[in-house]
Amino acid sequence: MKTQRFFQSFSEQLTYWRRQYEALRRKRKLLGTLRSESGNNRRRGLKRDIFSYIILFLLKISGNSEHQKREIALGSMAKSVKNHGGIDTSGLGWIHEQRSSVVLAIAIVSLTGVMGHKLYNQPQLKVGTPAPQTIKAPYTDTIEDKKETDAQRKAVSKSSMPVLMIDTQVTEKINQNLQQLLARGNEIRTTAGSFPFFDTSVLSVYIQHYLRSCSVSEWQALLAAVENTSKQKLRLSLPKQKIRGLQNSPNSVLPTRSADFTQALAELEAYRVTTSEQNLSSVIIQISQARQAYAQASVQFLQQEITNSESETIYNETILLDLLDDDWAKTQTGIRQSAERILTQGIPYGLPPSILQNAVSLQVQALVPKNAEPLATKLLLAVLQPNLKKDEEQTKQHALQAAAGVTPVMVEVRQGEVIVTKGKLITAWRFDVLEHYQLIRRENNWLGLAKLAGFVTVAIGIFVWVEKRFKCQVRQRDRLLVLLLTLSTPGVLAMGIPYTTWSAVGLLLGSFYRPTLGVTVVVLMFLLLPVSLEVSTIALLAGAAGGILGSCIAQRLRTREELALLGIAIALTQGGVYLIAKLMVGAAFGVGWYLVLQEAGLFALSGLIWSIVALGLSPYLEKLFDLVTPIRLAELANPNRPLLKRLATETPGTFQHTLFVSTLAEAAAKKLGCNVELVRAGTLYHDIGKMHDPLGFIENQMGGPNKHETEIKDPWKSAELIKKHVTEGLVMARKHLLPTAIQAFIPEHQGTMAIAYFYHQAQQMAQADPSITVNEADFRYDGPIPQSRETAIVMLADSCEAALRSLKDTTPEQALTMLNNILRARWQDNQMVDSGLTREEMTEIAQIFVEVWQQFHHKRIAYPKLKPSNEKLAKG
């Protein structure tokens, strides 16, 4: 029972301490952090109070009157909090210091653990080291000999036949060359004219070929014989002058009768018998024309320059001109079909010429006329060449399949068999046997982990230094987010995926924080990852380039569309850097250039994919870690947001006041280099608490009766109502899940300023009635005072807005003097102590406010008054 009561009471105390901590934490936000002059004394007092409270708690457990002692303890704690003013802030400071240490420890341990995963469970016995003792097999088992299995698989993979594929470029070139040769043949045959050139029933095809191709002397002799009407022999029938003329001709030879000559003469004589002399003369003319065309074609063989060197040996034979027109058409078709069939089947490199010639002959015999087979064969052999190339991907897959089909080599190890003898070197096979029996004595490499932890600690120290050096306002939750994003990169690499989260890390860190922090994280990862992980330097360089680009540009963008375009730019950067790096080292000029292009494409694709992932996660991370980005601030500043629509409809005067304050504050923030988007959004929400009682504020009374004078008539209650717009504003902001950075504008724009009007009323009442005591704290806002330059600018703009609005016929110099007095009062009231604004900047802010006021209250043209007649016309 005592144990049960102990745990029950202990849980109650833990719950109470948690509530106390939350209350003190909220109070710290409202009251601000006290100066550290007496911080050490307050911290010691806190420790003393906590120690005494724990003693009371322990005494309470051992006693009987538990309820009574709990009341005493609670009273002691309340008294302690009451008597030690500001002890909560120092206590929270001490707790936050401890939280920083915890976050630091988590960062070191997690980063070391993820990046040094290979240092865990490392074998104490390694290949190539001497065995510390003789180790025997504890039981009989069959173990795979991985080395022998790999050797057999490599041999099978190496001996596997390559997979060939058609080279379309070579095939296209062969078809082009074939087409050129056929076009060349058509050109020559066109010059020679149609064949046969006369009716084959009168003159046979053979004789027509003889008539157009015979020599000049034969043709002249034939003509003379035809002209001679006698039946004598040709030598007797010709006149002596004609024979003598033929003999004296330099290009003629006295013909001798041949079978072709006699056959031709006979067919011509037969035609003369069946027809008239006029028709015979017409035939003679056609034969002469055919001979002339044939002679021109023969000359064209020699004169024209042929592109294909083999075409000279193909077309210098008369077979091209001896073919009939129909046979030549069939020959062309057969040649094309033969080439298509052979090329479709493919011609490999190293094919013996005899095999190719046999294949061509078989195709030609089936598709080309008999008399054209020699020509078609020569033409095809002249253009055909190997058109098969190695299909690298299919060959690789084929080799892998062949290797996978090899049965593993299994070796039986008997119980008690010596695996390794003491002092002998451990071979790869013996190591596999030891690992199979779990005898390799695995252990953590603590020295390596310690070294890695040292490098990680240095890197974290550099990050913290950059954070302090550039005054980045980073919370503990922000550090945790940075840690999680950082862990994603080595985490993906640890899974064996080289396409890791560089682009997502850079884009998110650049959007959420300053580009300096994002670049710092990416550069530190680039330096740390090679220490413990086996990863390509070029891959690291490509990823880091994409991450740095995202970090530098993300915060400048204002829409999701622009971020999407940035993702494309990151992808191109990663792929381009990888390809350029490979080109610089010469890896892209080898046989595996296509693999380099493939890897570059994969890096570009991974950059795009991770950028899309980052864009999808961004809204959730903003909500979860209470972050504000330019895009989220732009969304919050949309006048269609529920709170802003209510503000415009329920408190129109406050809304107009808000717009003018926003204009003043934005101008000052832009001039001083502050976060303009944050100032705009924060200003729009800084007075939302006035919606709880709109008529309690003069700008919403629209000239009606003043509620404070007609209903309340109590400066203390009026001051409480005015102060309530801060607390109610915080309630509304939390209800609508506004970011903390926006919520900070609600209390900090008032700081701890005095509500002067009602404070003056209370003082007047105290003077009239001495029994009334006026406490200045009742007429001051609860704060805290501005903790950033942005909230300080809004405080100054809010203070000056009413004064500027009331000015009418005032010179800019007078307005500037008045604003300087207001800002000086805020400075002297210590409202700017924690803001970071300097006195010189406040003077500059006053000048900016006056310039904005002048733009709103510029002079207008005085229009002349209408005369009565004009007024009538205007009315009429």
Side-chain angles (χ1 to χ4, degrees), residues 30 114 162 193 283 325 391 442 462 501 543 560 617 673 805:
L30 294 175
V114 174
V283 170
D325 290 347
D391 189 339
R442 291 186 176 274
I462 294 174
T501 61
R560 306 282 180 190
L617 288 176
R805 192 182 292 274

Side-chain angles (χ1 to χ4, degrees), residues 486-498:
T486 305
L487 284 172
S488 66
T489 302
V492 174
L493 288 175
M495 292 186 290
I497 304 174

Side-chain angles (χ1 to χ4, degrees), residues 663-674 793 845 848-849 852:
T663 304
L664 295 173
E666 284 185 53
K670 184 176 182 180
K671 185 70 173 179
L672 298 182
C674 299
I793 290 173
I845 289 173
I848 296 170
F849 287 171
V852 174

Side-chain angles (χ1 to χ4, degrees), residues 695-696 701 703-715 718 757-758 761:
L695 296 180
Q701 294 172 0
N706 191 338
K707 180 178 182 179
H708 298 279
E709 296 178 357
T710 58
E711 297 181 16
I712 301 177
K713 299 180 181 179
D714 185 345
S718 296
Y757 181 81
F758 296 111
Q761 276 190 353

Side-chain angles (χ1 to χ4, degrees), residues 22 121 163 175 284 371 460 480 502 506 518 539 593 642 667 773:
E22 292 294 334
N121 205 23
V163 179
N175 289 326
I284 298 296
N371 57 342
I460 293 175
L480 287 174
W502 290 100
W593 59 269
T773 303

Side-chain angles (χ1 to χ4, degrees), residues 411-429:
V411 178
E412 183 180 12
V413 180
R414 309 286 302 177
Q415 182 178 3
E417 181 180 342
V418 176
I419 300 174
V420 62
T421 306
K422 180 178 181 181
K424 294 292 185 68
L425 295 180
I426 301 175
T427 62
W429 161 246

